[in-house]
Amino acid sequence: MSRLGLINSAWGQAGRETVWGLQKTKEIGFDTVDLLVDPLDLPVTEKRAIQRELDRLELPLVSICCVSAGLIDPFPSVRKFHLDRAVQHLDLVYELGGENLLLVLGEYIWNQEVIPPEEQWQSAVEACQALGAYAGELGLKIALELEPFHLSLLNSVDAMDRFLNDVGEPAVGANIDISHLCLAHVPAEELKKLKGRAFHVHISDCDGKIHGDLPPGRGVVQFAPYLEAIRDMEIPGAISIELEYSPDPDAIEAWVNEAYQSTRKLLQQSGLA
């Protein structure tokens, strides 16, 4: 049985506080939660409040999200800052009892001109080797986001496969984002290339043209083939719902609950729940 989680950004984008969002996450029925928080912006009082609430609710934290496009910046000082920042994210995952860091590497700059793309790729590889070694020491995993954008470093299963081979760290693997796979026109059968090297899953819907994380059922994604492939991959993390801005922030609870109900049904139909 796969655990069904929620990324707390759904609440934050509606202007709700983190602790309030944790309470609603548990109330709706989610098994786990992921956090989009930056340790550089997180007051120690809020960190303590998050820890207390996770413990009180008995709501397991699985993943913390980190967007770190600066890891491929052309300037070493900038890359070092972002490497140190990612290390602090890993420390926060460890402190809060999480399982993995969801790492987003971002896109090639300047249209792959000026700076050779091979240099940016190598910068990302070296950063992930260092982060993967540290994650392994902490007993954590790093799940790399596969993005659907044209200039993203990791915008296909083949790119992800090559990158993981180049990194060569067992603690570094893939995150499977179903909406992104749909937008990138990646068929479900390609996921078998990542078996044993995928640590987490994001699920949402989209219109098939533009990035937009909708509750499953509101878009065009054909979930069954992807969920069957994910079931066969036996991914150890969780399947976490990712939602972008609600069209009505005042009705955010209904928006999240709709996503929970439709996703739970999909998991049941695919034998994942």
Side-chain angles (χ1 to χ4, degrees), residues 7 9-10 13 145 148-149 177-181 183 202-207 210-216 218-219 221 223 240-247 255 259:
I7 305 176
S9 55
Q13 291 165 355
E145 182 82 311
F149 310 114
D177 189 307
I178 296 175
S179 177
H180 290 181
L181 293 172
L183 288 166
H202 287 172
I203 186 169
S204 61
D205 215 330
C206 67
D207 66 3
I210 300 174
H211 186 276
D213 295 317
L214 305 171
R218 284 186 174 245
V221 176
F223 289 97
S240 296
I241 297 173
E242 181 176 15
L243 298 175
E244 284 192 355
Y245 293 92
S246 167
W255 184 252

PDB file of all heavy atoms in Angstrom, residues 7 9-10 13 145 148-149 177-181 183 202-207 210-216 218-219 221 223 240-247 255 259:
ATOM      1  N   ILE A   7       1.841  18.053  -0.483  1.00  0.00           N
ATOM      2  CA  ILE A   7       2.857  19.089  -0.332  1.00  0.00           C
ATOM      3  C   ILE A   7       2.181  20.317   0.272  1.00  0.00           C
ATOM      4  O   ILE A   7       1.176  20.798  -0.263  1.00  0.00           O
ATOM      5  CB  ILE A   7       3.512  19.427  -1.670  1.00  0.00           C
ATOM      6  CG1 ILE A   7       4.083  18.166  -2.325  1.00  0.00           C
ATOM      7  CG2 ILE A   7       4.618  20.461  -1.472  1.00  0.00           C
ATOM      8  CD1 ILE A   7       4.659  18.388  -3.696  1.00  0.00           C
ATOM      9  N   SER A   9       2.626  23.320   0.200  1.00  0.00           N
ATOM     10  CA  SER A   9       2.531  24.552  -0.591  1.00  0.00           C
ATOM     11  C   SER A   9       1.096  24.852  -1.007  1.00  0.00           C
ATOM     12  O   SER A   9       0.756  26.009  -1.280  1.00  0.00           O
ATOM     13  CB  SER A   9       3.418  24.456  -1.832  1.00  0.00           C
ATOM     14  OG  SER A   9       3.097  23.310  -2.601  1.00  0.00           O
ATOM     15  N   ALA A  10       0.248  23.825  -1.069  1.00  0.00           N
ATOM     16  CA  ALA A  10      -1.168  24.057  -1.385  1.00  0.00           C
ATOM     17  C   ALA A  10      -1.782  25.048  -0.407  1.00  0.00           C
ATOM     18  O   ALA A  10      -2.555  25.928  -0.795  1.00  0.00           O
ATOM     19  CB  ALA A  10      -1.934  22.739  -1.350  1.00  0.00           C
ATOM     20  N   GLN A  13       0.172  28.747  -0.569  1.00  0.00           N
ATOM     21  CA  GLN A  13      -0.216  29.587  -1.701  1.00  0.00           C
ATOM     22  C   GLN A  13      -1.560  30.266  -1.472  1.00  0.00           C
ATOM     23  O   GLN A  13      -1.871  31.260  -2.124  1.00  0.00           O
ATOM     24  CB  GLN A  13      -0.255  28.746  -2.973  1.00  0.00           C
ATOM     25  CG  GLN A  13       1.119  28.296  -3.435  1.00  0.00           C
ATOM     26  CD  GLN A  13       1.069  27.181  -4.454  1.00  0.00           C
ATOM     27  OE1 GLN A  13      -0.001  26.657  -4.778  1.00  0.00           O
ATOM     28  NE2 GLN A  13       2.217  26.796  -4.972  1.00  0.00           N
ATOM     29  N   GLU A 145      13.906  16.125  -9.347  1.00  0.00           N
ATOM     30  CA  GLU A 145      12.667  16.396 -10.072  1.00  0.00           C
ATOM     31  C   GLU A 145      12.884  16.312 -11.577  1.00  0.00           C
ATOM     32  O   GLU A 145      13.842  16.899 -12.124  1.00  0.00           O
ATOM     33  CB  GLU A 145      12.160  17.793  -9.711  1.00  0.00           C
ATOM     34  CG  GLU A 145      10.851  18.184 -10.357  1.00  0.00           C
ATOM     35  CD  GLU A 145       9.644  17.626  -9.626  1.00  0.00           C
ATOM     36  OE1 GLU A 145       9.632  16.416  -9.334  1.00  0.00           O
ATOM     37  OE2 GLU A 145       8.712  18.402  -9.353  1.00  0.00           O
ATOM     38  N   PRO A 148       9.172  19.366 -17.102  1.00  0.00           N
ATOM     39  CA  PRO A 148       8.719  19.230 -18.480  1.00  0.00           C
ATOM     40  C   PRO A 148       9.181  20.338 -19.416  1.00  0.00           C
ATOM     41  O   PRO A 148       8.801  20.359 -20.581  1.00  0.00           O
ATOM     42  CB  PRO A 148       7.194  19.305 -18.322  1.00  0.00           C
ATOM     43  CG  PRO A 148       7.000  20.265 -17.189  1.00  0.00           C
ATOM     44  CD  PRO A 148       8.147  20.010 -16.237  1.00  0.00           C
ATOM     45  N   PHE A 149      10.014  21.252 -18.940  1.00  0.00           N
ATOM     46  CA  PHE A 149      10.349  22.431 -19.735  1.00  0.00           C
ATOM     47  C   PHE A 149      11.498  22.156 -20.708  1.00  0.00           C
ATOM     48  O   PHE A 149      12.405  21.370 -20.425  1.00  0.00           O
ATOM     49  CB  PHE A 149      10.687  23.598 -18.800  1.00  0.00           C
ATOM     50  CG  PHE A 149       9.655  23.803 -17.730  1.00  0.00           C
ATOM     51  CD1 PHE A 149       9.971  23.581 -16.404  1.00  0.00           C
ATOM     52  CD2 PHE A 149       8.357  24.180 -18.054  1.00  0.00           C
ATOM     53  CE1 PHE A 149       9.020  23.753 -15.409  1.00  0.00           C
ATOM     54  CE2 PHE A 149       7.401  24.347 -17.072  1.00  0.00           C
ATOM     55  CZ  PHE A 149       7.732  24.133 -15.747  1.00  0.00           C
ATOM     56  N   ASP A 177       7.121  12.665 -11.407  1.00  0.00           N
ATOM     57  CA  ASP A 177       6.013  13.625 -11.396  1.00  0.00           C
ATOM     58  C   ASP A 177       5.104  13.316 -12.581  1.00  0.00           C
ATOM     59  O   ASP A 177       5.487  13.537 -13.731  1.00  0.00           O
ATOM     60  CB  ASP A 177       6.546  15.053 -11.466  1.00  0.00           C
ATOM     61  CG  ASP A 177       5.463  16.099 -11.229  1.00  0.00           C
ATOM     62  OD1 ASP A 177       4.428  16.035 -11.922  1.00  0.00           O
ATOM     63  OD2 ASP A 177       5.642  16.970 -10.356  1.00  0.00           O
ATOM     64  N   ILE A 178       3.922  12.807 -12.290  1.00  0.00           N
ATOM     65  CA  ILE A 178       3.046  12.308 -13.361  1.00  0.00           C
ATOM     66  C   ILE A 178       2.608  13.419 -14.295  1.00  0.00           C
ATOM     67  O   ILE A 178       2.587  13.257 -15.524  1.00  0.00           O
ATOM     68  CB  ILE A 178       1.835  11.576 -12.752  1.00  0.00           C
ATOM     69  CG1 ILE A 178       2.311  10.328 -11.998  1.00  0.00           C
ATOM     70  CG2 ILE A 178       0.826  11.202 -13.833  1.00  0.00           C
ATOM     71  CD1 ILE A 178       1.214   9.597 -11.257  1.00  0.00           C
ATOM     72  N   SER A 179       2.250  14.571 -13.757  1.00  0.00           N
ATOM     73  CA  SER A 179       1.843  15.692 -14.598  1.00  0.00           C
ATOM     74  C   SER A 179       2.983  16.132 -15.513  1.00  0.00           C
ATOM     75  O   SER A 179       2.772  16.420 -16.703  1.00  0.00           O
ATOM     76  CB  SER A 179       1.389  16.860 -13.724  1.00  0.00           C
ATOM     77  OG  SER A 179       1.051  17.981 -14.507  1.00  0.00           O
ATOM     78  N   HIS A 180       4.197  16.163 -14.978  1.00  0.00           N
ATOM     79  CA  HIS A 180       5.346  16.548 -15.788  1.00  0.00           C
ATOM     80  C   HIS A 180       5.597  15.545 -16.914  1.00  0.00           C
ATOM     81  O   HIS A 180       5.959  15.932 -18.031  1.00  0.00           O
ATOM     82  CB  HIS A 180       6.592  16.649 -14.910  1.00  0.00           C
ATOM     83  CG  HIS A 180       6.562  17.815 -13.972  1.00  0.00           C
ATOM     84  ND1 HIS A 180       7.594  18.103 -13.112  1.00  0.00           N
ATOM     85  CD2 HIS A 180       5.611  18.766 -13.751  1.00  0.00           C
ATOM     86  CE1 HIS A 180       7.290  19.188 -12.405  1.00  0.00           C
ATOM     87  NE2 HIS A 180       6.089  19.593 -12.771  1.00  0.00           N
ATOM     88  N   LEU A 181       5.423  14.265 -16.617  1.00  0.00           N
ATOM     89  CA  LEU A 181       5.605  13.247 -17.649  1.00  0.00           C
ATOM     90  C   LEU A 181       4.606  13.433 -18.785  1.00  0.00           C
ATOM     91  O   LEU A 181       4.951  13.288 -19.962  1.00  0.00           O
ATOM     92  CB  LEU A 181       5.458  11.856 -17.037  1.00  0.00           C
ATOM     93  CG  LEU A 181       6.536  11.431 -16.044  1.00  0.00           C
ATOM     94  CD1 LEU A 181       6.148  10.121 -15.378  1.00  0.00           C
ATOM     95  CD2 LEU A 181       7.897  11.310 -16.723  1.00  0.00           C
ATOM     96  N   LEU A 183       3.154  16.294 -19.670  1.00  0.00           N
ATOM     97  CA  LEU A 183       3.507  17.501 -20.414  1.00  0.00           C
ATOM     98  C   LEU A 183       4.731  17.290 -21.302  1.00  0.00           C
ATOM     99  O   LEU A 183       4.849  17.915 -22.358  1.00  0.00           O
ATOM    100  CB  LEU A 183       3.765  18.649 -19.434  1.00  0.00           C
ATOM    101  CG  LEU A 183       2.530  19.215 -18.738  1.00  0.00           C
ATOM    102  CD1 LEU A 183       2.935  20.092 -17.570  1.00  0.00           C
ATOM    103  CD2 LEU A 183       1.665  19.999 -19.724  1.00  0.00           C
ATOM    104  N   HIS A 202       5.197  12.578  -7.316  1.00  0.00           N
ATOM    105  CA  HIS A 202       4.243  13.687  -7.272  1.00  0.00           C
ATOM    106  C   HIS A 202       3.093  13.363  -8.216  1.00  0.00           C
ATOM    107  O   HIS A 202       3.319  12.845  -9.312  1.00  0.00           O
ATOM    108  CB  HIS A 202       4.882  14.999  -7.723  1.00  0.00           C
ATOM    109  CG  HIS A 202       5.824  15.596  -6.734  1.00  0.00           C
ATOM    110  ND1 HIS A 202       6.609  16.688  -7.013  1.00  0.00           N
ATOM    111  CD2 HIS A 202       6.087  15.266  -5.443  1.00  0.00           C
ATOM    112  CE1 HIS A 202       7.329  17.010  -5.946  1.00  0.00           C
ATOM    113  NE2 HIS A 202       7.038  16.151  -4.992  1.00  0.00           N
ATOM    114  N   ILE A 203       1.886  13.707  -7.805  1.00  0.00           N
ATOM    115  CA  ILE A 203       0.729  13.470  -8.655  1.00  0.00           C
ATOM    116  C   ILE A 203      -0.131  14.722  -8.711  1.00  0.00           C
ATOM    117  O   ILE A 203      -0.359  15.384  -7.702  1.00  0.00           O
ATOM    118  CB  ILE A 203      -0.097  12.260  -8.159  1.00  0.00           C
ATOM    119  CG1 ILE A 203      -1.229  11.934  -9.142  1.00  0.00           C
ATOM    120  CG2 ILE A 203      -0.633  12.473  -6.743  1.00  0.00           C
ATOM    121  CD1 ILE A 203      -1.921  10.606  -8.851  1.00  0.00           C
ATOM    122  N   SER A 204      -0.552  15.055  -9.917  1.00  0.00           N
ATOM    123  CA  SER A 204      -1.496  16.149 -10.149  1.00  0.00           C
ATOM    124  C   SER A 204      -1.966  16.027 -11.592  1.00  0.00           C
ATOM    125  O   SER A 204      -1.475  15.195 -12.354  1.00  0.00           O
ATOM    126  CB  SER A 204      -0.843  17.515  -9.909  1.00  0.00           C
ATOM    127  OG  SER A 204       0.239  17.713 -10.791  1.00  0.00           O
ATOM    128  N   ASP A 205      -2.909  16.881 -11.963  1.00  0.00           N
ATOM    129  CA  ASP A 205      -3.448  16.882 -13.316  1.00  0.00           C
ATOM    130  C   ASP A 205      -2.989  18.147 -14.035  1.00  0.00           C
ATOM    131  O   ASP A 205      -2.407  19.051 -13.422  1.00  0.00           O
ATOM    132  CB  ASP A 205      -4.976  16.811 -13.276  1.00  0.00           C
ATOM    133  CG  ASP A 205      -5.561  15.998 -14.427  1.00  0.00           C
ATOM    134  OD1 ASP A 205      -4.951  15.964 -15.513  1.00  0.00           O
ATOM    135  OD2 ASP A 205      -6.639  15.399 -14.236  1.00  0.00           O
ATOM    136  N   CYS A 206      -3.240  18.213 -15.341  1.00  0.00           N
ATOM    137  CA  CYS A 206      -2.897  19.401 -16.121  1.00  0.00           C
ATOM    138  C   CYS A 206      -3.726  19.387 -17.391  1.00  0.00           C
ATOM    139  O   CYS A 206      -4.432  18.416 -17.683  1.00  0.00           O
ATOM    140  CB  CYS A 206      -1.408  19.433 -16.449  1.00  0.00           C
ATOM    141  SG  CYS A 206      -0.867  18.126 -17.571  1.00  0.00           S
ATOM    142  N   ASP A 207      -3.606  20.477 -18.168  1.00  0.00           N
ATOM    143  CA  ASP A 207      -4.372  20.545 -19.419  1.00  0.00           C
ATOM    144  C   ASP A 207      -3.627  19.937 -20.600  1.00  0.00           C
ATOM    145  O   ASP A 207      -4.111  19.972 -21.733  1.00  0.00           O
ATOM    146  CB  ASP A 207      -4.771  21.990 -19.737  1.00  0.00           C
ATOM    147  CG  ASP A 207      -3.570  22.897 -20.037  1.00  0.00           C
ATOM    148  OD1 ASP A 207      -2.426  22.395 -20.049  1.00  0.00           O
ATOM    149  OD2 ASP A 207      -3.791  24.101 -20.243  1.00  0.00           O
ATOM    150  N   ILE A 210       0.180  23.332 -20.660  1.00  0.00           N
ATOM    151  CA  ILE A 210       0.898  24.276 -19.805  1.00  0.00           C
ATOM    152  C   ILE A 210       0.983  23.715 -18.397  1.00  0.00           C
ATOM    153  O   ILE A 210       0.015  23.141 -17.883  1.00  0.00           O
ATOM    154  CB  ILE A 210       0.181  25.640 -19.784  1.00  0.00           C
ATOM    155  CG1 ILE A 210       0.116  26.233 -21.194  1.00  0.00           C
ATOM    156  CG2 ILE A 210       0.894  26.618 -18.853  1.00  0.00           C
ATOM    157  CD1 ILE A 210      -0.697  27.503 -21.279  1.00  0.00           C
ATOM    158  N   HIS A 211       2.133  23.905 -17.760  1.00  0.00           N
ATOM    159  CA  HIS A 211       2.318  23.461 -16.387  1.00  0.00           C
ATOM    160  C   HIS A 211       1.238  24.070 -15.490  1.00  0.00           C
ATOM    161  O   HIS A 211       1.003  25.269 -15.504  1.00  0.00           O
ATOM    162  CB  HIS A 211       3.695  23.887 -15.885  1.00  0.00           C
ATOM    163  CG  HIS A 211       4.044  23.357 -14.539  1.00  0.00           C
ATOM    164  ND1 HIS A 211       3.644  23.972 -13.374  1.00  0.00           N
ATOM    165  CD2 HIS A 211       4.735  22.261 -14.160  1.00  0.00           C
ATOM    166  CE1 HIS A 211       4.087  23.290 -12.342  1.00  0.00           C
ATOM    167  NE2 HIS A 211       4.758  22.236 -12.797  1.00  0.00           N
ATOM    168  N   GLY A 212       0.601  23.225 -14.718  1.00  0.00           N
ATOM    169  CA  GLY A 212      -0.434  23.689 -13.807  1.00  0.00           C
ATOM    170  C   GLY A 212      -0.947  22.507 -13.023  1.00  0.00           C
ATOM    171  O   GLY A 212      -1.606  21.620 -13.579  1.00  0.00           O
ATOM    172  N   ASP A 213      -0.620  22.464 -11.738  1.00  0.00           N
ATOM    173  CA  ASP A 213      -0.932  21.287 -10.928  1.00  0.00           C
ATOM    174  C   ASP A 213      -2.363  21.365 -10.413  1.00  0.00           C
ATOM    175  O   ASP A 213      -2.659  22.093  -9.461  1.00  0.00           O
ATOM    176  CB  ASP A 213       0.053  21.186  -9.754  1.00  0.00           C
ATOM    177  CG  ASP A 213       1.475  20.940 -10.243  1.00  0.00           C
ATOM    178  OD1 ASP A 213       1.626  20.110 -11.158  1.00  0.00           O
ATOM    179  OD2 ASP A 213       2.405  21.570  -9.728  1.00  0.00           O
ATOM    180  N   LEU A 214      -3.235  20.592 -11.059  1.00  0.00           N
ATOM    181  CA  LEU A 214      -4.666  20.577 -10.745  1.00  0.00           C
ATOM    182  C   LEU A 214      -5.027  19.316  -9.978  1.00  0.00           C
ATOM    183  O   LEU A 214      -4.328  18.304 -10.054  1.00  0.00           O
ATOM    184  CB  LEU A 214      -5.487  20.619 -12.037  1.00  0.00           C
ATOM    185  CG  LEU A 214      -5.221  21.766 -13.008  1.00  0.00           C
ATOM    186  CD1 LEU A 214      -5.957  21.519 -14.316  1.00  0.00           C
ATOM    187  CD2 LEU A 214      -5.633  23.094 -12.393  1.00  0.00           C
ATOM    188  N   PRO A 215      -6.145  19.330  -9.247  1.00  0.00           N
ATOM    189  CA  PRO A 215      -6.634  18.086  -8.651  1.00  0.00           C
ATOM    190  C   PRO A 215      -6.882  17.044  -9.738  1.00  0.00           C
ATOM    191  O   PRO A 215      -7.440  17.369 -10.800  1.00  0.00           O
ATOM    192  CB  PRO A 215      -7.950  18.514  -7.986  1.00  0.00           C
ATOM    193  CG  PRO A 215      -7.790  19.969  -7.701  1.00  0.00           C
ATOM    194  CD  PRO A 215      -6.982  20.498  -8.857  1.00  0.00           C
ATOM    195  N   PRO A 216      -6.444  15.813  -9.543  1.00  0.00           N
ATOM    196  CA  PRO A 216      -6.702  14.769 -10.542  1.00  0.00           C
ATOM    197  C   PRO A 216      -8.181  14.700 -10.915  1.00  0.00           C
ATOM    198  O   PRO A 216      -9.054  14.709 -10.043  1.00  0.00           O
ATOM    199  CB  PRO A 216      -6.234  13.501  -9.829  1.00  0.00           C
ATOM    200  CG  PRO A 216      -5.112  13.983  -8.960  1.00  0.00           C
ATOM    201  CD  PRO A 216      -5.592  15.313  -8.441  1.00  0.00           C
ATOM    202  N   ARG A 218      -9.395  17.006 -13.149  1.00  0.00           N
ATOM    203  CA  ARG A 218      -9.712  18.304 -13.738  1.00  0.00           C
ATOM    204  C   ARG A 218      -8.953  18.562 -15.038  1.00  0.00           C
ATOM    205  O   ARG A 218      -9.121  19.628 -15.638  1.00  0.00           O
ATOM    206  CB  ARG A 218      -9.417  19.437 -12.755  1.00  0.00           C
ATOM    207  CG  ARG A 218     -10.458  19.568 -11.648  1.00  0.00           C
ATOM    208  CD  ARG A 218     -10.194  20.796 -10.805  1.00  0.00           C
ATOM    209  NE  ARG A 218     -11.250  21.010  -9.823  1.00  0.00           N
ATOM    210  CZ  ARG A 218     -12.074  22.048  -9.814  1.00  0.00           C
ATOM    211  NH1 ARG A 218     -11.993  22.961 -10.769  1.00  0.00           N
ATOM    212  NH2 ARG A 218     -12.978  22.172  -8.867  1.00  0.00           N
ATOM    213  N   GLY A 219      -8.127  17.641 -15.445  1.00  0.00           N
ATOM    214  CA  GLY A 219      -7.331  17.834 -16.656  1.00  0.00           C
ATOM    215  C   GLY A 219      -7.433  16.649 -17.583  1.00  0.00           C
ATOM    216  O   GLY A 219      -8.458  15.962 -17.632  1.00  0.00           O
ATOM    217  N   VAL A 221      -4.746  14.186 -17.973  1.00  0.00           N
ATOM    218  CA  VAL A 221      -3.775  13.123 -17.710  1.00  0.00           C
ATOM    219  C   VAL A 221      -4.463  11.771 -17.623  1.00  0.00           C
ATOM    220  O   VAL A 221      -5.479  11.615 -16.925  1.00  0.00           O
ATOM    221  CB  VAL A 221      -3.007  13.397 -16.401  1.00  0.00           C
ATOM    222  CG1 VAL A 221      -2.071  12.221 -16.084  1.00  0.00           C
ATOM    223  CG2 VAL A 221      -2.202  14.689 -16.513  1.00  0.00           C
ATOM    224  N   PHE A 223      -4.052   8.646 -15.951  1.00  0.00           N
ATOM    225  CA  PHE A 223      -3.249   8.229 -14.805  1.00  0.00           C
ATOM    226  C   PHE A 223      -2.958   6.733 -14.766  1.00  0.00           C
ATOM    227  O   PHE A 223      -1.908   6.314 -14.258  1.00  0.00           O
ATOM    228  CB  PHE A 223      -3.949   8.631 -13.502  1.00  0.00           C
ATOM    229  CG  PHE A 223      -3.938  10.105 -13.248  1.00  0.00           C
ATOM    230  CD1 PHE A 223      -5.033  10.887 -13.579  1.00  0.00           C
ATOM    231  CD2 PHE A 223      -2.831  10.714 -12.697  1.00  0.00           C
ATOM    232  CE1 PHE A 223      -5.019  12.256 -13.359  1.00  0.00           C
ATOM    233  CE2 PHE A 223      -2.805  12.080 -12.466  1.00  0.00           C
ATOM    234  CZ  PHE A 223      -3.913  12.854 -12.797  1.00  0.00           C
ATOM    235  N   SER A 240       2.691  11.979  -3.406  1.00  0.00           N
ATOM    236  CA  SER A 240       2.297  13.252  -2.813  1.00  0.00           C
ATOM    237  C   SER A 240       1.578  14.125  -3.835  1.00  0.00           C
ATOM    238  O   SER A 240       2.083  14.343  -4.942  1.00  0.00           O
ATOM    239  CB  SER A 240       3.517  13.998  -2.279  1.00  0.00           C
ATOM    240  OG  SER A 240       4.116  13.271  -1.223  1.00  0.00           O
ATOM    241  N   ILE A 241       0.426  14.627  -3.442  1.00  0.00           N
ATOM    242  CA  ILE A 241      -0.332  15.533  -4.298  1.00  0.00           C
ATOM    243  C   ILE A 241       0.335  16.903  -4.300  1.00  0.00           C
ATOM    244  O   ILE A 241       0.646  17.457  -3.247  1.00  0.00           O
ATOM    245  CB  ILE A 241      -1.787  15.656  -3.814  1.00  0.00           C
ATOM    246  CG1 ILE A 241      -2.502  14.302  -3.908  1.00  0.00           C
ATOM    247  CG2 ILE A 241      -2.537  16.710  -4.616  1.00  0.00           C
ATOM    248  CD1 ILE A 241      -3.895  14.306  -3.301  1.00  0.00           C
ATOM    249  N   GLU A 242       0.547  17.431  -5.502  1.00  0.00           N
ATOM    250  CA  GLU A 242       1.106  18.780  -5.650  1.00  0.00           C
ATOM    251  C   GLU A 242       0.070  19.658  -6.330  1.00  0.00           C
ATOM    252  O   GLU A 242      -0.355  19.368  -7.446  1.00  0.00           O
ATOM    253  CB  GLU A 242       2.395  18.748  -6.471  1.00  0.00           C
ATOM    254  CG  GLU A 242       3.038  20.110  -6.628  1.00  0.00           C
ATOM    255  CD  GLU A 242       4.370  20.070  -7.366  1.00  0.00           C
ATOM    256  OE1 GLU A 242       4.662  19.035  -8.001  1.00  0.00           O
ATOM    257  OE2 GLU A 242       5.091  21.062  -7.298  1.00  0.00           O
ATOM    258  N   LEU A 243      -0.325  20.721  -5.666  1.00  0.00           N
ATOM    259  CA  LEU A 243      -1.334  21.618  -6.206  1.00  0.00           C
ATOM    260  C   LEU A 243      -0.761  23.020  -6.355  1.00  0.00           C
ATOM    261  O   LEU A 243      -0.079  23.519  -5.459  1.00  0.00           O
ATOM    262  CB  LEU A 243      -2.561  21.679  -5.283  1.00  0.00           C
ATOM    263  CG  LEU A 243      -3.315  20.364  -5.072  1.00  0.00           C
ATOM    264  CD1 LEU A 243      -4.416  20.547  -4.043  1.00  0.00           C
ATOM    265  CD2 LEU A 243      -3.894  19.856  -6.388  1.00  0.00           C
ATOM    266  N   GLU A 244      -1.070  23.657  -7.493  1.00  0.00           N
ATOM    267  CA  GLU A 244      -0.708  25.050  -7.663  1.00  0.00           C
ATOM    268  C   GLU A 244      -1.848  25.921  -7.153  1.00  0.00           C
ATOM    269  O   GLU A 244      -2.806  25.445  -6.541  1.00  0.00           O
ATOM    270  CB  GLU A 244      -0.376  25.341  -9.126  1.00  0.00           C
ATOM    271  CG  GLU A 244       0.991  24.816  -9.525  1.00  0.00           C
ATOM    272  CD  GLU A 244       1.471  25.342 -10.860  1.00  0.00           C
ATOM    273  OE1 GLU A 244       0.701  26.055 -11.538  1.00  0.00           O
ATOM    274  OE2 GLU A 244       2.623  25.047 -11.226  1.00  0.00           O
ATOM    275  N   TYR A 245      -1.757  27.195  -7.414  1.00  0.00           N
ATOM    276  CA  TYR A 245      -2.673  28.164  -6.826  1.00  0.00           C
ATOM    277  C   TYR A 245      -4.135  27.802  -7.078  1.00  0.00           C
ATOM    278  O   TYR A 245      -4.543  27.583  -8.215  1.00  0.00           O
ATOM    279  CB  TYR A 245      -2.383  29.553  -7.372  1.00  0.00           C
ATOM    280  CG  TYR A 245      -1.040  30.089  -6.938  1.00  0.00           C
ATOM    281  CD1 TYR A 245       0.090  29.880  -7.723  1.00  0.00           C
ATOM    282  CD2 TYR A 245      -0.899  30.769  -5.735  1.00  0.00           C
ATOM    283  CE1 TYR A 245       1.338  30.360  -7.326  1.00  0.00           C
ATOM    284  CE2 TYR A 245       0.336  31.253  -5.329  1.00  0.00           C
ATOM    285  CZ  TYR A 245       1.448  31.045  -6.126  1.00  0.00           C
ATOM    286  OH  TYR A 245       2.671  31.508  -5.712  1.00  0.00           O
ATOM    287  N   SER A 246      -4.900  27.780  -6.014  1.00  0.00           N
ATOM    288  CA  SER A 246      -6.338  27.545  -6.130  1.00  0.00           C
ATOM    289  C   SER A 246      -7.002  28.756  -6.771  1.00  0.00           C
ATOM    290  O   SER A 246      -6.635  29.898  -6.462  1.00  0.00           O
ATOM    291  CB  SER A 246      -6.939  27.306  -4.735  1.00  0.00           C
ATOM    292  OG  SER A 246      -8.348  27.380  -4.778  1.00  0.00           O
ATOM    293  N   PRO A 247      -7.980  28.536  -7.648  1.00  0.00           N
ATOM    294  CA  PRO A 247      -8.687  29.677  -8.245  1.00  0.00           C
ATOM    295  C   PRO A 247      -9.489  30.464  -7.212  1.00  0.00           C
ATOM    296  O   PRO A 247      -9.837  31.617  -7.449  1.00  0.00           O
ATOM    297  CB  PRO A 247      -9.602  29.018  -9.288  1.00  0.00           C
ATOM    298  CG  PRO A 247      -9.750  27.604  -8.820  1.00  0.00           C
ATOM    299  CD  PRO A 247      -8.462  27.252  -8.157  1.00  0.00           C
ATOM    300  N   TRP A 255     -10.711  22.532  -2.314  1.00  0.00           N
ATOM    301  CA  TRP A 255      -9.775  22.240  -3.410  1.00  0.00           C
ATOM    302  C   TRP A 255      -8.882  21.054  -3.050  1.00  0.00           C
ATOM    303  O   TRP A 255      -8.712  20.116  -3.826  1.00  0.00           O
ATOM    304  CB  TRP A 255      -8.958  23.495  -3.672  1.00  0.00           C
ATOM    305  CG  TRP A 255      -7.978  23.505  -4.796  1.00  0.00           C
ATOM    306  CD1 TRP A 255      -6.631  23.472  -4.693  1.00  0.00           C
ATOM    307  CD2 TRP A 255      -8.256  23.623  -6.197  1.00  0.00           C
ATOM    308  NE1 TRP A 255      -6.042  23.559  -5.941  1.00  0.00           N
ATOM    309  CE2 TRP A 255      -7.000  23.652  -6.874  1.00  0.00           C
ATOM    310  CE3 TRP A 255      -9.433  23.693  -6.948  1.00  0.00           C
ATOM    311  CZ2 TRP A 255      -6.918  23.752  -8.265  1.00  0.00           C
ATOM    312  CZ3 TRP A 255      -9.337  23.798  -8.333  1.00  0.00           C
ATOM    313  CH2 TRP A 255      -8.104  23.821  -8.971  1.00  0.00           C
ATOM    314  N   ALA A 259      -8.907  16.961  -4.359  1.00  0.00           N
ATOM    315  CA  ALA A 259      -7.710  16.264  -4.834  1.00  0.00           C
ATOM    316  C   ALA A 259      -7.476  14.983  -4.051  1.00  0.00           C
ATOM    317  O   ALA A 259      -7.099  13.945  -4.617  1.00  0.00           O
ATOM    318  CB  ALA A 259      -6.495  17.187  -4.718  1.00  0.00           C
TER     319      ALA A 259
END
